[in-house]
Amino acid sequence: MDLLFDPSRFAAESTATFVMPQRKLKNVTDNPTSGGDLNAIPGYSDEADDTESYWSPRIGAKAAIGDAADCMVDYSQPYGAHTNPGARWRGTSDNIETKVNSDNYALTCSYRFDVGSGQFRVIGGVSYLEMDGFKERLLVPPELLGGLGLPGNGIGRLDLAGDGWGWRAGVAYEIPEYALRASLVYYSEVKLDDVSGTVNLTQVPSALHPLGGLVIPVAGSTAMPDAVELKVQTGIAPDWLAFGSVKWTDWSQLQRIPFYNGGAEITSLDLGYRDGWTVTAGIGHKFNDQWSGAVSVTWDRGTSTDFGAQSDNWLFSSGVAYSPTENIEIRLAGVIGIMTSGDSNPSFVDGVPAGDEASYEYDSDLITAVSTSFKIKF
């Protein structure tokens, strides 16, 4: 949203961030089912590297319309996940690989008018979100299939895709003389009413699973959460700026998402999330007309409850901005942080067992990121 406040008549910005989480799972125990006990089968580790690195791009352009209005279009990938512990750990019946992708296209406009010594701004916009993803997990150990002389690797795969529309609305107040700006923006939920895909069980023999050997169309619905964000910045001394933000995200609405074929539930995504809170505070300094920098600290409350590995994060960021001319700005930033420790154990979501495929623990792990951006304005 910051690009919308740029005082230039026109501004365009592209950003690319590469994130490197290093979550490691340990003391993994399979919770045996009729498919077999992975704790008793040689070759399945009680440890796993859970996370994959990923890119997060964004591109946007803002234009002034008349003397009081501004509009911005942007593309981003606001939601995503990629865990890949592999097929040789004791939690394969929970997850071999899961990946979720998103593409978001948004139009946001604002209108400002004088209030007191500053300007009040009304903000509104719409967005269109596309999402897709897959999850693979083990249903029958391949060792059991081999021992029985049956084909397949015992892995089932769920593929899904959906899309939906959302909106955002907010207000802001600015006093440019003091570099003061406060904004409060609400982002609506994005309803994914028609999430469809397939459950592929062609690698699972029908002799060991009632749906084995089939590719089953499935459908369901869910919604990505709504959010509220408050951001504040103000000058505190010549060439010094303090800034901060608080964001609440309604992740707790994502509990259990069932998927059906002809009215019969085939599978589900059991998330059991709690609401997210993200709090950031930092200080920026302008060294001269070409160089400026900033440092900040962020606390992000993890969404996992009794099961899962999304614990609290503490992130420490620093960055520099270089403006070779008044029309160009180049930024480089780095992040180092800690994903705090925890454990995952069987639980219930909406009265249904969840997280019961495997139990594990995880220590505090490192997360790092680098980000570059380029802005042109005139």
Side-chain angles (χ1 to χ4, degrees):
M1 194 67 73
D2 289 350
L3 186 62
L4 188 66
F5 297 96
D6 193 289
S8 306
R9 298 292 298 176
F10 175 84
E13 183 179 44
S14 63
T15 302
T17 304
F18 187 62
V19 185
M20 296 160 281
Q22 300 176 32
R23 174 65 83 199
K24 298 182 182 296
L25 310 180
K26 66 174 188 177
N27 297 330
V28 181
T29 301
D30 179 33
N31 295 327
T33 65
S34 58
D37 183 359
L38 299 182
N39 303 313
I41 301 176
Y44 287 89
S45 175
D46 66 351
E47 297 181 346
D49 293 330
D50 190 41
T51 50
E52 294 280 353
S53 300
Y54 61 91
W55 285 97
S56 178
R58 180 184 177 276
I59 184 168
K62 167 259 178 187
I65 303 174
D67 295 328
D70 299 276
C71 280
M72 177 184 70
V73 293
D74 69 279
Y75 164 80
S76 62
Q77 296 178 355
Y79 307 106
H82 194 187
T83 60
N84 188 17
R88 301 305 298 177
W89 70 302
R90 292 178 180 174
T92 53
S93 58
D94 173 52
N95 181 37
I96 294 176
E97 183 176 9
T98 298
K99 189 173 184 181
V100 176
N101 309 298
S102 68
D103 297 288
N104 191 72
Y105 309 87
L107 169 65
T108 308
C109 294
S110 70
Y111 183 82
R112 62 186 186 275
F113 50 91
D114 293 336
V115 173
S117 58
Q119 291 186 322
F120 187 82
R121 188 185 296 249
V122 179
I123 302 167
V126 295
S127 63
Y128 173 67
L129 176 68
E130 295 179 320
M131 296 195 68
D132 65 84
F134 70 86
K135 179 174 183 174
E136 294 182 342
R137 68 185 189 95
L138 189 68
L139 299 180
V140 181
E143 291 81 3
L144 177 59
L145 297 179
L148 296 174
L150 297 173
N153 57 24
I155 294 174
R157 179 182 171 106
L158 171 66
D159 286 275
L160 295 169
D163 58 7
W165 290 86
W167 55 274
R168 66 277 310 271
V171 295
Y173 185 70
E174 304 163 272
I175 305 179
E177 179 183 357
Y178 302 110
L180 171 67
R181 181 169 72 228
S183 63
L184 180 66
V185 180
Y186 171 78
Y187 300 87
S188 78
E189 68 176 16
V190 179
K191 292 185 178 181
L192 307 175
D193 291 326
D194 185 19
V195 182
S196 59
T198 58
V199 172
N200 188 327
L201 300 180
T202 56
Q203 293 296 314
V204 181
S206 58
L208 297 180
H209 195 285
L211 301 177
L214 302 177
V215 177
I216 308 163
V218 293
S221 63
T222 186
M224 300 310 294
D226 53 342
V228 179
E229 184 173 31
L230 172 67
K231 301 182 73 172
V232 179
Q233 68 171 51
T234 183
I236 53 176
D239 297 326
W240 287 91
L241 182 77
F243 58 90
S245 64
V246 178
K247 185 176 183 178
W248 166 83
T249 307
D250 188 19
W251 286 110
S252 63
Q253 73 178 38
L254 294 177
Q255 295 297 310
R256 184 174 186 271
I257 309 171
F259 294 95
Y260 300 91
N261 176 278
E265 181 178 326
I266 303 300
T267 189
S268 67
L269 291 177
D270 301 327
L271 302 175
Y273 288 161
R274 63 177 179 175
D275 287 351
W277 286 92
T278 305
V279 182
T280 297
I283 295 177
H285 179 57
K286 181 180 179 181
F287 300 103
N288 52 49
D289 290 339
Q290 284 77 44
W291 291 94
S292 60
V295 295
S296 65
V297 59
T298 297
W299 169 72
D300 182 86
R301 189 175 84 159
T303 57
S304 293
T305 50
D306 296 325
F307 61 96
Q310 298 184 45
S311 59
D312 291 13
N313 296 332
W314 286 93
L315 306 174
F316 303 90
S317 310
S318 64
V320 294
Y322 172 60
S323 299
T325 72
E326 63 180 10
N327 303 109
I328 295 175
E329 182 180 84
I330 302 168
R331 294 185 181 186
L332 176 65
V335 174
I336 186 169
I338 296 295
M339 301 182 292
T340 57
S341 60
D343 54 40
S344 177
N345 295 290
S347 184
F348 290 88
V349 174
D350 296 336
V352 179
D356 56 346
E357 291 89 358
S359 299
Y360 50 82
E361 301 173 356
Y362 45 90
D363 293 327
S364 293
D365 293 314
L366 186 68
I367 181 171
T368 57
V370 292
S371 178
T372 61
S373 70
F374 177 80
K375 178 191 281 188
I376 183 170
K377 51 188 178 180
F378 51 84

